[in-house]
Amino acid sequence: MRPTTVERTDEPMLYRAPDGSITISIPMKIRKYSGRSQVLLPKIISHTDFKEKEELTILQAALVRGRRWQKMLDMSKYKTLRDIAVGEKVDPSYVSRVMKLNLLDPEIVELILNDEMECTANFNDFCMNLPSTWADQYTHVKVTSF
């Protein structure tokens, strides 16, 4: 493996060597502030371009919990939903409501996780009286992005 080198270039560059290695050049400057090195990006690149969403919505967090708890059941870490509630120190009714999210249509799950869902439903609408068929779930939660 070749060592990383820092060179100053004014234009981005991509170079493919005959041996299959790739060299990518990105214009940047490295400055030292208080003994620490800091990378200064060109003005056309904003640091917010690299930031990811920091907080999950209530539905996204509930979907993640539901999937994690389902894996715990599948791997026999817990035997029942009540065991999960005791182990995770949450209310048993909350565990059962969140576990119902595992029955959601995968397309609705994808919309929720990508933060593309436009609907009038809240967390309780997803968890209570959720229809078992995926087609009925769209009308139940009033999805408007389709």
Side-chain angles (χ1 to χ4, degrees):
M1 180 177 219
R2 287 190 271 174
T4 302
T5 58
V6 177
E7 298 174 6
R8 178 149 192 240
T9 61
D10 293 330
E11 294 292 322
M13 179 190 77
L14 176 70
Y15 174 72
R16 295 178 192 264
D19 65 353
S21 64
I22 299 174
T23 301
I24 301 172
S25 172
I26 301 171
M28 66 179 171
K29 294 180 184 176
I30 298 180
R31 297 272 168 104
K32 281 202 172 199
Y33 291 104
S34 301
R36 295 182 138 188
S37 297
Q38 182 178 15
V39 175
L40 300 174
L41 296 174
K43 292 182 181 181
I44 60 170
I45 300 175
S46 172
H47 71 282
T48 56
D49 295 341
F50 301 106
K51 274 190 164 180
E52 291 193 22
K53 187 176 176 184
E54 294 180 12
E55 291 186 23
L56 296 176
T57 64
I58 293 170
L59 275 174
Q60 289 170 339
L63 278 170
V64 171
R65 277 188 202 105
R67 296 294 168 127
R68 186 169 60 88
W69 291 343
Q70 185 62 50
K71 282 184 181 180
M72 289 177 178
L73 283 174
D74 294 343
M75 294 184 331
S76 300
K77 181 173 181 180
Y78 295 113
K79 292 188 180 173
T80 65
L81 296 183
R82 184 168 299 283
D83 293 341
I84 291 174
V86 170
E88 298 286 316
K89 297 181 177 106
V90 294
D91 190 73
S93 66
Y94 176 72
V95 173
S96 89
R97 283 184 286 154
V98 168
M99 290 298 284
K100 286 181 185 177
L101 293 176
N102 288 323
L103 303 175
L104 272 175
D105 179 0
E107 292 177 4
I108 294 176
V109 170
E110 186 176 351
L111 289 173
I112 293 169
L113 292 177
N114 292 335
D115 216 9
E116 298 171 351
M117 183 107 168
E118 296 177 15
C119 71
T120 58
N122 60 23
F123 174 73
N124 289 329
D125 292 334
F126 279 94
C127 297
M128 296 183 171
N129 303 321
L130 187 68
S132 58
T133 62
W134 288 348
D136 293 338
Q137 289 177 0
Y138 285 101
T139 56
H140 177 72
V141 296
K142 302 168 190 78
V143 175
T144 59
S145 63
F146 266 38

